[in-house]
Amino acid sequence: MLRHLLKLIWKRKSRNLMLTLEILLAFVLVFAIAAFGARSWQLYRMPLGYQPGNVWSVTIKTSRDTPPMKGDAQLRDHFRRTLAALPQVEDVAFSNFSPFQHANMSSTFRLPPDARAVRVGMMETSDAFFPVLGMQALAGAWYSAADDGLADTPVVINRLFAEQLAPGPDAAGRAVGKIYMSSEYSGTPSRYVVRAVVEDFRQQGEFSTPRPYMLLRFGPDATMHGAQTILLRMKAGTPRSFEAVLQAQLKGMRPGWEFAISPLDDLRSAMHKVDMAPLLVLSVVAAFLLLMVAFGLFGVLWQNTTRRIPEIGLRRAIGASAGDIYRQIIAEQFLLSSVAMLAGLALLVQLPLTGALGAGLNWQVFFAAAGLAMLIIYLLSLLCSVYPGWRASRLSPTEALHYE
C-alpha cells in the first residue's frame, strides 16, 4: 500500500511540489511558535532563587543627579529602624532595584587562574536582603557586619557563576572564599571574595534566562548606585490598606522624595503579562497564517480530487470500496505532510546541533516543539482532507467513468 501511494505521489510530483512547500513553511512556522512556548514553560519551571510572597517593594524616586542613600549609611539605618518598628513589618532590606523589574546591571570579571573574562549580572544589597527574600545558601554563609573594613568586597554568587569560577564537582563549596577581579575600570581593579553560593537568582522573573549572577554588599559608607529600593517582609495577611500608612511614614522621613509601593506578587504578575505578550501576539499571527494555509490546502485537495475522478471511478469499477477511496485520499495527504516535515526537521535539527541559539533551543525544547508542530500539521492535514476524501468516496463508478 505504501509503495503504491509513493508511486502515485511521485507521478504527480509537479502538482505536489507547491503543496509540499506550503506544508513545509507551515511546519517551520508552527515549530518556531512551539519552541518559544516550550522554552517559556521550561524557564517558568526553573528555580527562581527567592520567595516573593509577603514582600513589598518600595521604589525611591529622586532626581537623576541625586541617587538616594548612595553614601549615607546613617540614613539607611534610620529608614531600617523606623520601618522595622512598624508592627506589620518583620524585616527590612535595601537593594539597587527590585526583583521583577526590567532593571539590569552587569560587568565583566577576570576569573583565576587564567584571567578569563566572564560577563556577570550584578546587584548591590544590604545584609538583610537574603532573609527578607527567604533565600537558601548552597554553601557558605551570608555577608554581614563582620565584613566591615575588608579590602575585598564580599559577594554571594549563583551556581552558574560558581561553576565557572571553580569548575568541577562541588563547584559551590569550592567557590566559597575564591577571589576574582573586575576588568572594566581604570586604575586598580576592584576585588571580590565569595561568601556564599545560591542555587539561582533570576531578578527579572521566571521567564528570564539563567545567567552568572553576583550579589555584592553595600559598603558601610558608600555604594555604587545607591539604595533605590527598600524591601519589606510583611506579616502574613497584611492588607493593602496598610500602604497608606506606610506611605505617610516614608513621607515623614523624607518629604521631598516620592515612593512607589507594590507587593512583589503584583510586580510579578505585571512582568508575566509583559513577558507573555510576544507569545500571545505570535500565536495570533500563527493562527491566522495557519487558517490561510488551511484554506489553500483545502482548495488544492479539492482540485486534485476533481482531476482524479476518472481514476477513482476506475478503482471503484475494479472492486475498491468507498472506504478504500476515503483512506487513500487521507493517507496520501498524510504521506505528503510527512515528507514535508521530514525535510523541515532535517533543516531545523542543525540549530541545536550547532548551538546557534544557545540554551534557547536545547534538545528538550527541540523535541517538544517538533512533536507539537507535527501533531498540529497532521491535524490540519486531516481536517483539510476529510471532506475531499468523503466526496471522492461517494462517487459511483458509473458517474465517475463518464465524468468529463
Side-chain angles (χ1 to χ4, degrees):
M1 180 64 178
L2 179 61
R3 184 178 180 183
H4 174 69
L5 292 176
L6 288 172
K7 284 183 178 180
L8 290 175
I9 292 174
W10 178 253
K11 287 181 179 180
R12 293 190 298 274
K13 55 183 178 293
S14 58
R15 297 181 187 175
N16 291 330
L17 179 60
M18 292 304 298
L19 185 59
T20 303
L21 289 176
E22 188 175 7
I23 296 172
L24 173 60
L25 291 175
F27 174 73
V28 172
L29 172 67
V30 176
F31 177 88
I33 304 299
F36 187 68
R39 178 57 176 170
S40 298
W41 175 245
Q42 187 181 59
L43 289 173
Y44 183 79
R45 298 186 63 190
M46 289 180 180
L48 185 61
Y50 51 93
Q51 301 174 18
N54 295 322
V55 178
W56 288 17
S57 169
V58 180
T59 301
I60 306 171
K61 299 181 178 180
T62 60
S63 66
R64 185 179 288 269
D65 297 330
T66 57
M69 295 185 280
K70 183 173 182 179
D72 196 339
Q74 291 183 349
L75 181 59
R76 287 204 312 268
D77 186 61
H78 174 56
F79 267 85
R80 182 189 62 79
R81 287 185 288 103
T82 303
L83 294 175
L86 296 173
Q88 293 85 353
V89 177
E90 293 185 349
D91 205 351
V92 182
F94 300 89
S95 62
N96 296 130
F97 37 82
S98 172
F100 305 113
Q101 286 184 341
H102 286 289
N104 184 41
M105 185 167 68
S106 62
S107 185
T108 301
F109 298 90
R110 297 289 178 180
L111 306 187
D114 53 359
R116 64 189 183 282
V118 174
R119 192 73 180 176
V120 181
M122 54 194 294
M123 177 193 289
E124 286 184 290
T125 72
S126 66
D127 296 344
F129 182 84
F130 309 102
V132 165
L133 287 178
M135 298 176 65
Q136 301 292 326
L138 295 178
W142 311 127
Y143 42 67
S144 65
D147 294 307
D148 289 348
L150 288 181
D152 303 328
T153 302
V155 298
V156 173
I157 65 175
N158 69 345
R159 180 179 51 81
L160 288 177
F161 193 7
E163 290 173 352
Q164 299 195 38
L165 183 61
D170 190 27
R174 293 187 297 108
V176 175
K178 291 278 188 180
I179 295 176
Y180 58 94
M181 294 180 293
S182 62
S183 62
E184 291 191 344
Y185 302 99
S186 57
T188 304
S190 300
R191 289 164 52 97
Y192 302 89
V193 57
V194 177
R195 283 285 177 262
V197 178
V198 295
E199 173 62 31
D200 208 342
F201 182 80
R202 292 193 288 162
Q203 176 262 331
Q204 294 188 356
E206 285 91 344
F207 295 107
S208 59
T209 301
R211 60 170 178 161
Y213 209 93
M214 60 179 274
L215 302 163
L216 58 154
R217 185 174 184 251
F218 277 135
D221 301 317
T223 69
M224 294 170 59
H225 299 285
Q228 302 179 48
T229 298
I230 306 173
L231 296 172
L232 306 173
R233 174 156 288 279
M234 312 298 294
K235 290 185 177 180
T238 301
R240 287 296 300 270
S241 59
F242 178 69
E243 182 178 329
V245 178
L246 181 60
Q247 186 73 248
Q249 187 75 38
L250 292 167
K251 281 286 190 179
M253 286 186 282
R254 274 293 183 271
W257 289 1
E258 295 293 329
F259 303 92
I261 304 172
S262 297
L264 287 190
D265 285 337
D266 288 0
L267 294 178
R268 184 185 201 176
S269 298
M271 177 161 277
H272 283 179
K273 292 178 181 178
V274 173
D275 291 338
M276 292 301 294
L279 180 60
L280 293 176
V281 171
L282 289 175
S283 298
V284 171
V285 172
F288 177 77
L289 292 177
L290 283 177
L291 184 61
M292 296 299 100
V293 169
F295 280 127
L297 188 58
F298 181 82
V300 171
L301 288 174
W302 182 286
Q303 185 181 32
N304 286 346
T305 303
T306 302
R307 288 177 177 176
R308 296 174 62 187
I309 286 178
E311 172 195 332
I312 293 170
L314 182 59
R315 283 209 64 199
R316 291 298 307 276
I318 61 176
S321 66
D324 292 335
I325 301 298
Y326 199 4
R327 286 188 290 271
Q328 178 186 343
I329 298 297
I330 294 179
E332 286 181 10
Q333 183 56 37
F334 269 48
L335 190 57
L336 205 60
S337 299
S338 299
V339 171
M341 288 188 287
L342 285 175
L345 286 173
L347 296 173
L348 293 171
V349 76
Q350 306 303 317
L351 296 176
L353 281 175
T354 59
L357 299 180
L361 187 63
N362 51 57
W363 285 111
Q364 288 182 337
V365 172
F366 176 82
F367 286 122
L372 182 58
M374 292 177 71
L375 176 62
I376 291 175
I377 295 301
Y378 276 133
L379 287 175
L380 184 67
S381 298
L382 177 62
L383 291 175
C384 292
S385 59
V386 163
Y387 184 74
W390 176 83
R391 179 173 175 269
S393 68
R394 300 291 292 176
L395 291 172
S396 67
T398 303
E399 179 185 356
L401 289 173
H402 286 82
Y403 178 83
E404 294 183 1

